[in-house]
Amino acid sequence: MSVITIERKILAKNDAIAGQNRALFERQGIFVINLVSSPGAGKTSILERTLEHLRGRVKIGVIEGDVQTDLDAQRVARYDIPVVQIVTRGGCHLEANLVHDALQKIDLESIQLLVIENVGNLVCPANYDLGEACKVVIASTTEGDDKPLKYPEMFLKASVLIVNKMDLLAYVNCDINTLKQNALSINPRLKIFETSCTTASGINAWCDWLVCQLNKHG
Amino acid sequence: MSVITIERKILAKNDAIAGQNRALFERQGIFVINLVSSPGAGKTSILERTLEHLRGRVKIGVIEGDVQTDLDAQRVARYDIPVVQIVTRGGCHLEANLVHDALQKIDLESIQLLVIENVGNLVCPANYDLGEACKVVIASTTEGDDKPLKYPEMFLKASVLIVNKMDLLAYVNCDINTLKQNALSINPRLKIFETSCTTASGINAWCDWLVCQLNKHG
């Protein structure tokens, strides 16, 4: 059996479980996002800002995916919400069965929005459906404006692009218009937000969009 | 045949070809580094600064690995040195056989130092030996100080850590001592350099180290 055949079988099995997850989320009326980016682009910081902004308004649960450590789960747990940590122990992406198992530890009746923070990796998580309503890719200005062209699959699979670290734009070699044009050349349907977790700029607009999606799915 | 068995066979085959690459490099007296990092940490910028600094003193060849595009090879080719681009078309890391094939396109007699710039990914390239003398991992200050703990395998496999974007330290949530302590807790043997490609600080020390290695291996 060839490696490619094995890979196809893995993806087919993953997609089947992702479908079950998605059906469960739809039955429960939960809006689910899969947060993806390079390491250090700001997934956990965006999540923290989102939790602050929506506190008392939206019931949120979180699944944290990391190669090692529960540092991110510790950061998020301070907001007094349900958090489950998945440690992949070297694995470079989350898979649908890991999310399926994590769901057993969350009271789904108690949440409206589930945020799955994937492993920091701009390549591999693109191919693994977890059952989410949409992938949200974060690209920070410090990574430069060419990343959508160099890692196109993730920008193609995402519905939303958050350009983070806007406060550092003046100090780095990144043209924001080029970055957005490059992203839209890969995926013209991308909804784009510009944020800074340091100044909190753009967090309002991002959270408004989230609330709007909740109203559609709830 | 299980997936794990297949994975072991892939790695064993990769290691065998990496061994052949390494033997070739040693016969030719070429020092080879495998440059790894997250997307946008500054692999190509460090390489450009290195090429400027060592111009006329060291004969350098480059193999560029990217998921898509030859943007990095175009940047490096301006320095009038031999460059071969490998496009992995979705693949999340370079493998020894890709490097083996790329070597056919470089006149090895004409170079002393070969820099292999891997795909931007802090997870998967850790497991694939390419035949290099050492892995050099770049972590930028903008990624935060917790990355060695969260992605330990790469820091364990590397011999050198370049902490890049030191000029942005004042603007980001990153304690440089914590970052270095975290890296050394994973791998106490790491040689650490602190650089900025904007101000060129630290490039001298990094290039001095490279020249010293060339003298040992030449």
Side-chain angles (χ1 to χ4, degrees):
Chain A
M1 191 178 282
S2 76
V3 172
I4 289 173
T5 311
I6 290 269
E7 283 181 355
R8 282 208 193 113
K9 284 203 167 197
I10 292 171
L11 285 174
K13 193 178 166 191
N14 181 78
D15 286 352
I17 300 172
Q20 294 168 18
N21 291 347
R22 184 168 286 113
L24 175 62
F25 297 142
E26 286 174 3
R27 271 201 309 278
Q28 299 276 357
I30 301 174
F31 184 63
V32 182
I33 63 172
N34 179 358
L35 213 51
V36 291
S37 81
S38 306
K43 290 184 294 307
T44 313
S45 295
I46 289 281
L47 179 50
E48 288 176 306
R49 284 294 190 174
T50 304
L51 292 171
E52 282 165 18
H53 195 83
L54 296 178
R55 186 162 18 199
R57 292 163 57 201
V58 178
K59 295 174 194 160
I60 307 179
V62 172
I63 295 177
E64 281 290 343
D66 280 294
V67 173
Q68 279 297 350
T69 80
D70 64 350
L71 294 172
D72 288 351
Q74 289 177 34
R75 283 170 64 180
V76 170
R78 289 180 298 191
Y79 294 87
D80 199 25
I81 56 159
V83 185
V84 180
Q85 176 81 51
I86 300 173
V87 177
T88 65
R89 301 195 188 288
C92 55
H93 58 273
L94 290 181
E95 297 189 10
N97 65 329
L98 296 172
V99 171
H100 174 268
D101 293 350
L103 290 175
Q104 314 307 314
K105 300 177 191 162
I106 298 179
D107 175 13
L108 296 180
E109 299 285 345
S110 73
I111 63 171
Q112 302 162 276
L113 169 65
L114 176 65
V115 181
I116 305 172
E117 184 180 335
N118 218 310
V119 170
N121 184 333
L122 210 48
V123 187
C124 312
N127 295 317
Y128 288 83
D129 182 10
L130 306 178
E132 71 272 6
C134 66
K135 285 190 173 68
V136 175
V137 60
I138 301 176
S140 70
T141 58
T142 56
E143 295 168 63
D145 49 35
D146 59 353
K147 294 304 162 291
L149 302 180
K150 293 176 70 181
Y151 304 87
E153 193 68 13
M154 191 66 92
F155 291 83
L156 192 62
K157 295 279 178 70
S159 306
V160 176
L161 163 63
I162 296 181
V163 181
N164 193 32
K165 307 192 188 178
M166 285 297 291
D167 55 301
L168 298 179
L169 197 57
Y171 308 112
V172 295
N173 189 11
C174 174
D175 183 301
I176 182 69
N177 289 323
T178 303
L179 174 54
K180 291 196 283 188
Q181 279 165 20
N182 285 341
L184 291 170
S185 75
I186 301 294
N187 180 354
R189 291 165 296 107
L190 270 176
K191 173 83 181 160
I192 302 179
F193 297 97
E194 300 174 14
T195 62
S196 163
C197 292
T198 304
T199 67
S201 79
I203 298 293
N204 273 3
W206 154 245
C207 287
D208 286 350
W209 179 85
L210 269 180
V211 170
C212 184
Q213 300 305 310
L214 288 173
N215 292 338
K216 282 187 198 165
H217 286 75
Chain B
M1 189 179 285
S2 76
V3 172
I4 290 173
T5 311
I6 290 270
E7 284 180 354
R8 282 207 193 113
K9 284 202 165 196
I10 292 171
L11 285 173
K13 193 179 166 191
N14 181 78
D15 286 351
I17 300 172
Q20 294 169 16
N21 291 347
R22 184 168 286 113
L24 174 63
F25 297 142
E26 287 174 3
R27 271 201 309 279
Q28 299 277 356
I30 301 173
F31 184 61
V32 182
I33 63 171
N34 179 358
L35 212 52
V36 290
S37 80
S38 306
K43 290 184 295 307
T44 314
S45 295
I46 289 282
L47 179 50
E48 288 177 305
R49 284 294 191 177
T50 304
L51 292 172
E52 281 165 18
H53 195 83
L54 296 178
R55 187 163 14 200
R57 293 163 57 200
V58 178
K59 293 174 195 159
I60 306 178
V62 172
I63 295 176
E64 282 291 342
D66 281 292
V67 173
Q68 279 297 352
T69 80
D70 65 348
L71 294 172
D72 288 352
Q74 289 178 32
R75 282 170 64 179
V76 169
R78 288 179 299 192
Y79 295 87
D80 200 25
I81 56 159
V83 185
V84 179
Q85 175 80 52
I86 300 173
V87 176
T88 66
R89 301 195 189 286
C92 54
H93 58 273
L94 290 181
E95 298 189 9
N97 66 329
L98 296 173
V99 171
H100 173 269
D101 292 350
L103 290 175
Q104 313 309 314
K105 300 178 190 162
I106 298 180
D107 175 12
L108 297 178
E109 299 286 342
S110 73
I111 63 171
Q112 302 162 275
L113 170 64
L114 176 65
V115 180
I116 305 172
E117 184 181 336
N118 218 311
V119 170
N121 183 333
L122 210 48
V123 187
C124 312
N127 295 316
Y128 288 82
D129 183 11
L130 306 178
E132 70 272 7
C134 66
K135 283 188 174 66
V136 175
V137 61
I138 302 175
S140 68
T141 59
T142 55
E143 295 168 63
D145 48 35
D146 59 353
K147 294 304 163 290
L149 303 181
K150 294 176 69 180
Y151 303 88
E153 192 68 14
M154 191 66 93
F155 292 82
L156 191 63
K157 296 280 178 70
S159 306
V160 176
L161 163 62
I162 297 179
V163 181
N164 194 32
K165 307 193 188 177
M166 286 297 290
D167 55 301
L168 298 179
L169 197 57
Y171 309 111
V172 295
N173 189 12
C174 174
D175 183 300
I176 182 70
N177 290 322
T178 303
L179 174 55
K180 291 196 283 188
Q181 280 165 19
N182 284 341
L184 291 169
S185 75
I186 300 294
N187 180 356
R189 291 165 295 109
L190 269 177
K191 173 84 181 159
I192 302 180
F193 298 97
E194 300 174 14
T195 61
S196 163
C197 292
T198 304
T199 67
S201 80
I203 299 293
N204 273 3
W206 153 245
C207 287
D208 285 351
W209 179 86
L210 268 181
V211 169
C212 185
Q213 300 305 309
L214 288 173
N215 292 338
K216 282 186 198 165
H217 286 77

